[in-house]
Amino acid sequence: MAKMTVDKSKSMDNAFTAATLHQQASDPTYAGALSFMRRKYTKDLTGVNAVVWGVPLDTATSNRPGTRFGPRGIREASCGMDNDPQYPFGSRLFRQMAVIDYGDCYFYFGEQGKVPGIIEENAAAIINAESEPYLLSLGGDHFVTYPLLKAHAEKHGPLALVQFDAHQDTWDDEEGVVDHGTMITRAVKEGIIDVDHSIQIGIRTIAPQDYGIEIIDALTCHEIGPAEIARRVLDRVAGKKTYLTFDIDSLDPAFAPGTGTPVSGGLSSAQALATLRHLKDLDVVGSDVVEVAPSYDHAGITSIAGSTVAMYMLGNLWERRFRPS
Ligand SMILES: [Mn+2]
């Protein structure tokens, strides 16, 4: 019988066998424990630069529910990407930047009123840990952005909001409601976003108010292209600390059918990724990818797009903080 040899430079089930936070995963794409990009699952934030965290909420949606499965779908799709290196960032992304998968936020779906406070408290505990990690949250419907923004604004002050979305999410809000179409209104009224430096990209619906937030609607996006979209975003943000929220329905349903409120005429995944690359110098202090609902997906298209957008967010963070100039 041939002797089995084990290559110790390779790992299997890196999500729980990784010896260090920087260990290169070599799980095959089709097997192994599922974490976001095979990063180590841990609640230990010591020495952590970036946390990936699931927020599996779907009870604030106005149309089709199912985003409670979003974090799971994105994790699974992320395991189909090359372990390392990752295009276009190369192999230093995880070797230089300690990224973990923190698991998911727990709340009881039956206690809707408690959900915002639980998300905010948990997010605050992460970003205020000694290592001050960057938090990348995986929704969940878009309501989750409101408590996430609150936690970040508590730490940094009012933030510029950069929002990729088909919808403005500025419908009339009533205190206490948990609604994925009104939470930007609440964020404006509470002063946690700085409307003068905020901008929405890919919009193709009309809410009663824009509260002074600049909009690059979908038709304009198609006319001007990624480099010019990014130039306008950078102009608008003007160097302010930014929260970046990426609603997967900013993409056209051809590229993201697996979502609750799809609208035709959106960005392609290629346009969105190119735009994100042009935004690498934005001072993003936290971000999320929301509204992935795998039950309506086909061939994993939406989860693949969502996981790639999340990877680009980490890649841009690595470029800003770690890449030698
Ligand atoms: Mn939205």
Side-chain angles (χ1 to χ4, degrees):
M1 195 170 120
K3 191 176 171 228
M4 279 274 289
T5 52
V6 177
D7 180 349
K8 288 191 176 146
S9 69
K10 303 274 185 188
S11 73
M12 181 64 180
D13 298 318
N14 201 65
F16 61 87
T17 61
T20 76
L21 301 182
H22 299 280
Q23 181 152 330
Q24 184 178 1
S26 43
D27 301 57
T29 51
Y30 54 84
L34 298 180
S35 62
F36 184 76
M37 295 194 76
R38 311 291 190 177
R39 292 301 88 202
K40 188 163 181 139
Y41 263 122
T42 177
K43 300 283 187 192
D44 182 356
L45 297 172
T46 311
V48 170
N49 303 122
V51 166
V52 180
W53 183 47
V55 188
L57 179 76
D58 66 1
T59 46
T61 195
S62 53
N63 189 359
R64 310 186 296 193
T67 55
R68 68 181 61 185
F69 300 105
R72 185 183 291 177
I74 292 171
R75 284 190 181 101
E76 183 179 351
S78 78
C79 292
M81 291 195 259
D82 285 346
N83 285 314
D84 212 5
Q86 287 81 32
Y87 177 83
F89 302 101
S91 58
R92 287 174 299 175
L93 202 166
F94 296 136
R95 287 185 205 166
Q96 294 182 328
M97 190 166 82
V99 181
I100 62 158
D101 190 324
Y102 195 76
D104 290 339
C105 185
Y106 176 74
F107 40 75
Y108 171 43
F109 62 85
E111 290 184 309
Q112 182 92 329
K114 291 187 181 170
V115 168
I118 291 172
I119 296 171
E120 184 187 342
E121 259 172 55
N122 280 275
I126 294 168
I127 63 178
N128 294 311
E130 204 185 335
S131 55
E132 298 201 72
Y134 177 96
L135 176 59
L136 164 55
S137 305
L138 310 175
D141 64 50
H142 213 162
F143 178 80
V144 304
T145 299
Y146 165 69
L148 292 168
L149 261 170
K150 256 183 112 172
H152 284 85
E154 184 68 31
K155 181 180 167 89
H156 298 285
L159 293 163
L161 179 70
V162 174
Q163 177 180 355
F164 287 76
D165 209 323
H167 315 88
Q168 297 163 264
D169 300 338
T170 52
W171 292 87
D172 293 338
D173 186 65
E174 272 171 52
E175 209 184 320
V177 302
V178 179
D179 182 328
H180 76 154
T182 70
M183 76 293 166
I184 299 299
T185 300
R186 195 174 314 167
V188 170
K189 291 196 167 154
E190 291 182 2
I192 59 178
I193 61 175
D194 178 350
V195 291
D196 293 335
H197 295 285
S198 295
I199 187 161
Q200 298 176 324
I201 302 136
I203 301 296
R204 48 199 188 279
T205 52
I206 302 170
Q209 296 276 352
D210 61 26
Y211 298 109
I213 298 170
E214 186 176 333
I215 290 172
I216 310 177
D217 68 16
L219 291 171
T220 306
C221 287
H222 294 305
E223 292 287 334
I224 65 178
E228 176 61 14
I229 298 169
R231 193 195 63 73
R232 292 188 191 184
V233 171
L234 289 163
D235 267 9
R236 177 69 168 177
V237 170
K240 304 283 182 203
K241 286 185 178 178
T242 300
Y243 188 88
L244 171 61
T245 181
F246 194 100
D247 188 327
I248 205 72
D249 68 28
S250 60
L251 303 185
D252 191 85
F255 300 92
T259 194
T261 47
V263 186
S264 280
L267 304 175
S268 70
S269 40
Q271 286 172 315
L273 293 171
T275 305
L276 286 172
R277 277 301 281 151
H278 285 293
L279 293 175
K280 65 182 162 54
D281 294 326
L282 267 189
D283 186 11
V284 180
V285 297
S287 60
D288 61 52
V289 181
V290 297
E291 296 284 356
V292 171
S295 315
Y296 312 107
D297 212 357
H298 299 276
I301 306 170
T302 315
S303 293
I304 291 167
S307 64
T308 310
V309 165
M311 187 267 278
Y312 271 55
M313 288 173 173
L314 292 176
N316 280 354
L317 178 71
W318 165 74
E319 290 232 23
R320 285 198 303 284
R321 295 201 187 163
F322 292 89
R323 188 175 203 171
S325 48

